[in-house]
Amino acid sequence: MRVIDIINANKAKDRPTVSFEVFPPKTTVNFDNVMKATGEIAKLQPDFMSVTYGAGGGTSDFTVSVAENIKNCGVTPLVHLTCVSSTQADVARQIEKIKNSGMENILALRGDIPDGSPFPENAQFKYASQLIREIKKHGDFCIGGACYPEKHPEAPTFADDIRHIKEKVDAGCDFLTTQMFFDNNILYNYLYKIREAGITIPVVAGIMPVTNAKQTERICKISGNFLPQRFKLITDKFGSCPDSMKQAGIAYATEQIIDLLANGVSCIHIYCMNSPDVARKIKENLSYII
Ligand code: FAD
């Protein structure tokens, strides 16, 4: 099923849309473990599950296999696709692979420029909006794009970044998924700004349950996220005890989700880092809500 149809059908019934994000194995060594974990997460019957593609601008041979497994478990897959380090022929091959597997949802991304590298001026795809236009040539896909409530780190200003998000929408993006954020007010302000800019498509709020303190450092380095004092106190207090940190991180994410739903944000995407346990606990915490 198309993700946008799922979102609209849930909205019509005043029901939230809840999805989980998983990532493929880097090598065959971890393949079985990832398949098992993603299969277990699929058993929780989220509205859809997204599967990332490579990292640092790289590609991934296993994204489609993991997505096929999710589909076989009866859950709609959303396949991520990046473009900055690919040629038009590479991208075309990957889109055809997705189409031939009977999948109709793609999250179209530029991908990160590897640390320290200059912007690849000769790249065939420089921006996700170009990828969206390319995907459209290959068929009637439902296409998602990324957005950044704290601004994409490379964008000179918020206004520039929002103008570029609008370009993705104009290119045919059906919905947006946000980068993670730890203070809901950041999202509420962002939604106000993008709606003012004429962006009216659904926005899926990305929530990361932080279950170990190291993760926090990495996230902040990559995304430059603002960490509220309340969040910092939790990681300072519980960061050295893995079980406590996991419980506190899941509770924090749960509270964020409840606040979002109460404020009318009805699409929630949970970055569950391939952990069936984290996905299950969040669902249990919200069993009368989602
Ligand atoms: P774009 O929309 O192309 O934007 C990138 C930058 O270029 C922004 O600063 C934007 O303002 C600017 N820009 C856009 N258009 C123009 C223009 N016409 N002129 C000038 N500047 C412009 N990475 C992976 O490698 N694999 C994944 O699976 C993956 N999944 C992700 C999922 C989500 C929900 C999110 C939020 C991010 C994900 N990423 C993933 C990371 C993403 O690839 C990076 O954040 C990347 O740096 C930007 O990708 P984008 O699609 O937002 O790029």
Side-chain angles (χ1 to χ4, degrees), residues 17-38:
T17 296
V18 177
S19 53
F20 291 119
E21 179 167 302
V22 295
F23 53 87
K26 282 205 177 83
T27 63
T28 47
V29 178
N30 243 340
F31 187 79
D32 289 345
N33 288 340
V34 171
M35 286 301 203
K36 188 163 174 271
T38 52

Side-chain angles (χ1 to χ4, degrees), residues 94-228:
Q94 191 65 13
I95 299 170
E96 288 304 313
K97 193 170 161 191
I98 295 168
K99 187 154 94 179
N100 294 337
S101 304
M103 291 185 276
E104 48 193 347
N105 302 295
I106 301 181
L107 192 73
L109 300 145
R110 186 198 68 182
D112 280 318
I113 313 294
D115 238 3
S117 307
F119 189 87
E121 291 299 340
N122 298 330
Q124 290 187 359
F125 294 95
K126 290 196 180 113
Y127 303 114
S129 53
Q130 295 168 308
L131 176 61
I132 293 171
R133 280 191 281 272
E134 183 66 26
I135 295 169
K136 289 227 152 271
K137 287 186 206 158
H138 288 262
D140 185 24
F141 289 95
C142 169
I143 305 174
C147 68
Y148 303 82
E150 295 177 68
K151 184 180 86 58
H152 185 267
E154 291 166 34
T157 67
F158 237 124
D160 288 316
D161 204 28
I162 291 176
R163 204 174 55 252
H164 298 141
I165 298 288
K166 181 76 166 60
E167 275 170 24
K168 294 200 266 198
V169 178
D170 293 343
C173 181
D174 295 295
F175 67 94
L176 295 163
T177 303
T178 77
Q179 179 64 284
M180 68 195 77
F181 55 90
F182 298 99
D183 177 344
N184 288 356
N185 286 323
I186 289 174
L187 181 80
Y188 302 141
N189 286 331
Y190 183 69
L191 287 177
Y192 181 75
K193 283 190 191 129
I194 63 169
R195 299 306 186 212
E196 278 238 298
I199 298 168
T200 56
I201 59 172
V203 174
V204 182
I207 295 296
M208 165 77 98
V210 174
T211 55
N212 71 66
K214 272 213 179 95
Q215 225 177 324
T216 321
E217 287 162 28
R218 209 174 60 84
I219 292 163
C220 293
K221 189 167 167 265
I222 297 171
S223 320
N225 282 114
F226 166 72
L227 295 180

Side-chain angles (χ1 to χ4, degrees), residues 42-100:
K43 280 191 201 143
L44 298 169
Q45 292 292 300
D47 289 295
F48 65 90
M49 278 172 71
S50 82
V51 188
T52 64
Y53 184 73
T59 61
S60 169
D61 290 336
F62 301 114
T63 296
V64 172
S65 315
V66 173
E68 279 172 333
N69 187 39
I70 289 167
K71 187 167 174 258
N72 292 338
C73 294
V75 174
T76 296
L78 165 64
V79 186
H80 294 207
L81 179 60
T82 62
C83 58
V84 73
S85 49
S86 304
T87 63
Q88 196 171 11
D90 295 332
V91 162
R93 250 193 313 277
Q94 191 65 13
I95 299 170
E96 288 304 313
K97 193 170 161 191
I98 295 168
K99 187 154 94 179
N100 294 337

